[in-house]
C-alpha cells in the first residue's frame, strides 16, 4: 500500500511515528509538505500567500504518486487548510482520505460531516492506522477497528477507544527521512521522550484527552533513558545534528528519570539541547541535570501572573514566587529562559497587564513570549468562557480560525495592543521599561508598539534580540525556518521558468 501524508509548516513527530510503523509492516509512505508561506502561525499576508501558494503543485504531485490512502494529521488551526486541500484531492482522484490528530480526536462527529473525509482516527494512531491500511489493502473499506470512525449510508459508524500504548520502547524510532527527504535535513533533531502530561490545564487538549483515555491505561508514560539515547545515537550517525529539541510537554517532571538520562546524555550525546519546563519542577538539582544535558535554553509556561485567573480559570497551581525563583535558578545556572503568557483570558483586565510588567521589571526573563487566547474544541475552558452555544459550535467546526499568534479568539483591539506592548519587553532597554512602568508611561510603549507592527510580528527584532542577548543561544536550523529560505526560490523558478518538479524540494 502507498500512503500519502499531507502536512503544513512544521516537521511532525506524529507522522514520523505513523510512517515508521507502516514501513515496518511493508507499506510505502511519502509526505507532501505545504510550506504555507506568509499565511502560517506568525504571518497572514494575503497577497504574498496567494503568490506563493503551493496547493495546486501538491495536488498534482499526489495525483502522480497514485496513493491508496491520503492521510492528514490535523491541528485545529489548520483544519480549514486540511479541508480545502482534501476537497481538491477528491476532485482529481478517487482515493480514501483519513483525518487524525488533535482536532479530529476532539470533535470526530463534526469532522466526519465533511464530505471529503472518509475516516477519522481518534487518539494514538500508530496501530489503528496500520489496521486501517491493512483493511483497505484487503478490500475491506468498512472495517470495525477500535479508534477508527467512518461513514456508512450517511451515518457515522463509531467504535470503542483502545488502551494506550504502555511500552513506548516497543515503537520503532520515528521515520525522520520522510520529512528530511521532502524538505531538508534539519540540524535541530526533534525528539519526544514520552507521552502525556502531568497537568490538565483548561485551555489545553490534555483537559479532554485524559478523560477520553480514563480507565484505558496510564496516561503519563515515558521511554527508558537507554531507548532515547539509542535513537539519538542513531541520529548522530545518519544526520548532521547540531542540537536537540525535546518536544515533551513537560520534560522535567520525573527527577529519577532525568538523573539517569542526564548521565547517559552527557557521556554519549553532548549536543546543546532545548526543552519545556514548569515553575514547580525547577530546583537546584534539576538545574544541574539540565546543565548535564547541555541545555542552552528552556521554555516555561507561566500563562498568567494573576493567581485568581491562574488557578480558577486555567487550573494551574503555582505561585509568582515559584516563577521568580525558577528564573533566578536558571539564570544562575547559565540557562536562558523563555516564558509563555496568554492574554485575553476570561475575567482578565488591564491590571493583569500591569502586574506582568511589574513582575518582569524585577525578574528579567531571556525572552517573554505573549500569545492570545485561542479556544480549542472540547477543552474545559469553554465552560468558563461565557460563549454562546452557536459560538462554541463554530469552534468545534473549526470556523473560528484566528491563531493564538495573530489575534486568537478575542480579537479585541485593546488585548491585541497589550500583546504588542508586552512583547516590547524583549526589545527595549531594561532601564526604559523600568521608567515606563514606574511612571505609568504606557502610551509611549503603545506608540513604540505601532512602529513594531511595521516589522511584521517582530521577526527582525527577534533575530537581533537573540544575537545580542542569547550569546550562548543557538538559532535552530529546522524545517519551520528553512522553508522560508528555500520554498520561495523554488516557487519563483516554477513561476518564471515554468519548471515542474515532481519530487520534493530537496530531491
Amino acid at each position: 500500500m502507498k500512503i500519502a501524508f499531507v502536512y503544513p509548516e512544521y516537521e511532525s513527530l506524529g507522522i514520523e511515528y505513523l510512517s515508521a510503523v507502516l514501513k515496518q509492516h511493508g507499506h510505502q509512505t511519502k509526505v507532501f509538505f505545504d510550506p504555507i508561506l506568509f499565511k502560517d502561525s506568525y504571518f497572514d499576508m494575503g497577497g504574498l500567500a496567494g503568490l506563493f501558494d503551493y496547493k495546486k503543485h501538491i495536488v498534482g504531485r499526489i495525483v502522480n504518486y497514485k496513493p491508496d490512502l491520503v492521510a492528514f494529521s490535523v491541528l485545529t488551526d489548520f483544519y480549514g487548510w486540511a479541508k480545502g486541500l482534501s476537497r481538491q484531492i477528491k476532485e482529481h482522484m478517487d482515493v480514501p482520505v483519513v483525518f487524525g490528530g488533535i482536532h479530529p480526536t476532539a470533535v470526530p462527529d463534526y469532522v466526519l460531516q465533511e464530505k471529503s473525509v472518509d475516516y477519522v482516527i481518534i487518539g494514538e494512531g500508530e496501530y489503528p492506522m496500520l489496521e486501517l491500511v491493512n483493511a483497505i489493502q484487503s478490500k475491506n473499506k468498512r472495517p470495525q477497528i477500535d479508534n477508527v470512525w467512518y461513514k456508512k449510508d450517511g451515518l457515522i459508524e463509531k467504535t470503542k477507544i483502545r488502551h494506550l500504548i504502555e511500552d513506548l520502547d516497543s515503537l520503532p524510532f520515528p521515520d525522520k527521512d520522510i520529512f528530511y527527504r521532502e524538505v531538508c535535513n534539519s540540524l535541530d533533531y526533534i525528539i519526544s521522550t514520552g507521552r502525556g502530561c502531568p497537568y490538565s490545564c483548561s485551555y489545553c487538549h490534555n483537559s479532554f484527552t485524559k478523560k477520553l483515555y480514563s480507565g484505558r491505561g496510564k496516561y503519563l508514560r515515558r521511554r527508558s533513558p537507554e531507548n532515547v539515547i539509542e535513537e539519538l545515537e542513531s541520529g548522530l550517525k545518519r544526520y548532521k545534528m547540531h542540537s536537540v529539541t525535546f518536544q515533551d510537554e513537560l520534560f522535567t517532571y520525573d527527577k529519577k528519570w532525568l538523573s539517569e538520562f542526564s548521565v547517559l546524555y552527557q557521556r554519549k550525546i553532548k549536543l546543546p539541547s532545548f526543552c519545556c519546563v514548569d515553575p514547580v519542577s525547577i530546583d537546584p538539582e534539576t538545574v544541574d541535570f539540565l546543565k548535564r544535558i547541555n541545555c542552552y535554553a528552556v521554555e516555561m509556561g507561566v500563562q498568567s501572573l494573576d493567581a485568581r485567573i491562574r488557578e480558577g480559570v486555567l487550573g494551574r497551581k503555582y505561585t509568582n514566587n515559584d516563577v521568580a525563583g525558577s528564573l533566578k535558578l536558571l539564570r544562575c545556572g547559565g540557562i536562558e529562559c523563555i516564558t509563555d503568557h496568554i492574554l485575553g483570558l476570561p475575567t482578565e483586565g488591564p491590571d493583569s497587564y500591569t502586574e506582568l510588567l511589574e513582575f518582569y521589571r524585577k525578574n528579567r526573563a531571556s525572552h517573554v513570549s505573549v500569545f492570545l487566547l485561542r479556544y480549542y474544541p472540547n477543552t474545559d475552558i469553554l465552560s468558563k468562557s461565557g460563549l454562546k452555544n452557536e459560538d462554541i459550535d463554530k469552534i468545534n467546526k473549526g470556523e473560528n480560525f484566528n491563531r493564538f499568534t495573530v489575534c486568537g479568539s478575542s480579537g479585541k483591539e485593546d488585548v491585541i495592543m497589550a500583546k504588542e506592548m508586552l512583547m516590547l519587553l524583549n526589545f527595549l532597554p531594561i532601564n526604559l521599561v523600568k521608567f515606563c512602568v514606574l511612571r505609568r508611561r504606557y502610551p509611549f510603549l503603545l506608540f513604540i508598539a505601532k512602529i513594531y507592527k511595521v516589522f511584521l510580528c517582530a521577526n527582525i527584532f527577534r533575530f537581533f534580540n537573540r544575537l545580542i542577548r542569547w550569546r550562548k543561544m543557538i538559532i535552530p536550523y529546522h524545517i519551520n525556518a528553512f522553508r522560508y529560505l528555500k520554498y520561495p526560490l523554488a516557487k519563483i523558478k516554477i513561476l518564471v521558468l515554468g519548471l515542474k518538479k515532481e519530487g520534493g524540494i530537496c530531491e
Side-chain angles (χ1 to χ4, degrees), residues 420-483:
E420 295 173 349
M421 179 180 74
L422 294 173
M423 285 292 287
L424 291 172
L425 283 168
N426 302 303
F427 316 119
L428 292 179
I430 188 169
N431 290 332
L432 180 58
V433 175
K434 285 182 180 179
F435 175 82
C436 292
V437 171
L438 290 173
R439 299 296 180 90
R440 299 293 190 270
R441 298 293 176 87
Y442 300 127
F444 174 74
L445 289 179
L446 290 176
F447 171 74
I448 300 292
K450 289 181 180 180
I451 298 175
Y452 144 82
K453 286 181 74 174
V454 176
F455 289 89
L456 300 173
C457 304
N459 279 289
I460 295 173
F461 286 128
R462 188 178 297 119
F463 173 76
F464 285 108
N465 177 61
R466 290 185 177 182
L467 281 180
I468 295 167
R469 288 193 179 166
W470 299 7
R471 292 180 296 276
K472 294 173 61 179
M473 178 71 173
I474 295 170
I475 300 174
Y477 184 83
H478 49 60
I479 287 172
N480 184 38
F482 184 80
R483 64 199 172 91

Side-chain angles (χ1 to χ4, degrees), residues 209-432:
T209 48
K210 277 190 178 180
K211 297 173 188 174
L212 176 71
Y213 279 108
S214 177
R216 294 179 174 86
K218 187 180 178 181
Y219 186 72
L220 185 61
R221 297 145 290 152
R222 206 152 207 181
R223 301 162 61 185
S224 67
E226 294 78 10
N227 182 258
V228 178
I229 293 296
E230 186 181 348
E231 180 189 336
L232 290 172
E233 286 182 314
S234 174
L236 280 170
K237 292 175 183 176
R238 300 186 62 187
Y239 312 114
K240 294 180 179 179
M241 292 167 53
H242 286 195
S243 60
V244 176
T245 291
F246 295 103
Q247 211 174 57
D248 304 60
E249 303 205 43
L250 177 59
F251 186 72
T252 51
Y253 70 87
D254 185 343
K255 274 193 180 182
K256 182 177 182 296
W257 185 94
L258 192 57
S259 174
E260 295 174 9
F261 177 75
S262 63
V263 172
L264 293 173
Y265 190 95
Q266 186 179 39
R267 187 168 72 244
K268 297 185 177 184
I269 308 301
K270 302 178 182 178
L271 292 176
S273 67
F274 177 92
C275 65
C276 292
V277 304
D278 72 331
V280 177
S281 64
I282 297 299
D283 58 24
E285 189 177 20
T286 300
V287 172
D288 285 340
F289 295 149
L290 292 175
K291 289 169 71 174
R292 278 189 205 167
I293 65 170
N294 199 9
C295 183
Y296 63 85
V298 298
E299 188 164 1
M300 182 165 64
V302 177
Q303 316 314 356
S304 176
L305 292 167
D306 185 322
R308 175 183 55 84
I309 294 175
R310 185 170 59 230
E311 295 184 25
V313 177
L314 302 181
R316 294 175 64 88
K317 296 182 180 180
Y318 53 82
T319 67
N320 289 355
N321 286 337
D322 290 330
V323 180
S326 296
L327 287 171
K328 184 177 180 180
L329 285 170
L330 290 164
R331 186 166 55 249
C332 291
I335 300 171
E336 303 287 349
C337 183
I338 307 163
T339 57
D340 291 346
H341 288 268
I342 302 174
L343 300 188
L345 294 164
T347 74
E348 182 182 68
D351 288 346
S352 298
Y353 311 147
T354 305
E355 184 177 7
L356 192 151
L357 282 167
E358 293 280 6
F359 178 86
Y360 283 112
R361 183 180 65 84
K362 299 174 183 177
N363 306 279
R364 196 72 174 180
S366 306
H367 186 93
V368 180
S369 293
V370 185
F371 304 103
L372 296 164
L373 176 65
R374 167 75 154 93
Y375 290 120
Y376 287 101
N378 222 357
T379 50
D380 287 351
I381 199 171
L382 288 173
S383 63
K384 306 170 185 179
S385 65
L387 293 173
K388 298 178 182 178
N389 288 336
E390 53 265 35
D391 294 325
I392 293 176
D393 190 58
K394 287 181 179 179
I395 290 169
N396 291 336
K397 290 179 180 178
E399 293 178 4
N400 183 359
F401 60 89
N402 293 325
R403 302 187 181 100
F404 58 86
T405 46
V406 182
C407 60
S409 296
S410 171
K412 294 180 180 178
E413 185 65 23
D414 59 333
V415 177
I416 296 171
M417 287 302 295
K419 169 185 178 289
E420 295 173 349
M421 179 180 74
L422 294 173
M423 285 292 287
L424 291 172
L425 283 168
N426 302 303
F427 316 119
L428 292 179
I430 188 169
N431 290 332
L432 180 58

Side-chain angles (χ1 to χ4, degrees), residues 63-235:
V63 170
N64 290 336
Y65 183 62
K66 298 178 182 178
D68 300 294
L69 178 68
V70 176
F72 288 80
S73 181
V74 187
L75 300 172
T76 300
D77 285 20
F78 297 113
Y79 180 54
W81 165 88
K83 281 195 302 182
L85 201 49
S86 64
R87 289 171 185 172
Q88 291 183 46
I89 292 168
K90 285 282 194 179
E91 289 173 2
H92 288 82
M93 62 190 307
D94 183 18
V95 62
V97 171
V98 58
F99 274 24
I102 293 299
H103 186 79
T105 295
V107 283
D109 297 89
Y110 283 89
V111 174
L112 278 171
Q113 291 174 17
E114 168 59 37
K115 291 182 180 180
S116 64
V117 179
D118 302 295
Y119 304 96
V120 159
I121 293 178
I122 300 170
E124 286 188 337
E126 284 89 353
Y127 295 109
M129 181 70 167
L130 176 62
E131 292 172 26
L132 176 62
V133 169
N134 289 339
I136 293 174
Q137 187 176 35
S138 302
K139 309 300 181 185
N140 180 10
K141 295 186 177 182
R142 296 292 180 266
Q144 289 297 309
I145 300 171
D146 292 348
N147 292 53
V148 179
W149 292 14
Y150 60 90
K151 289 177 285 195
K152 181 180 179 181
D153 301 324
L155 300 175
I156 296 175
E157 289 286 323
K158 302 180 180 182
T159 59
K160 65 181 181 179
I161 303 300
R162 68 182 69 200
H163 276 62
L164 291 161
I165 301 170
E166 293 184 10
D167 182 12
L168 298 182
D169 286 5
S170 66
L171 290 168
F173 296 149
D175 176 21
K176 293 289 181 178
D177 287 340
I178 194 172
F179 274 93
Y180 288 4
R181 288 175 179 170
E182 170 73 4
V183 190
C184 69
N185 186 345
S186 176
L187 301 182
D188 183 51
Y189 192 93
I190 297 174
I191 187 172
S192 176
T193 71
R195 293 184 180 181
C197 182
Y199 302 122
S200 300
C201 302
S202 65
Y203 55 87
C204 176
H205 73 89
N206 285 296
S207 66
F208 71 81
T209 48
K210 277 190 178 180
K211 297 173 188 174
L212 176 71
Y213 279 108
S214 177
R216 294 179 174 86
K218 187 180 178 181
Y219 186 72
L220 185 61
R221 297 145 290 152
R222 206 152 207 181
R223 301 162 61 185
S224 67
E226 294 78 10
N227 182 258
V228 178
I229 293 296
E230 186 181 348
E231 180 189 336
L232 290 172
E233 286 182 314
S234 174

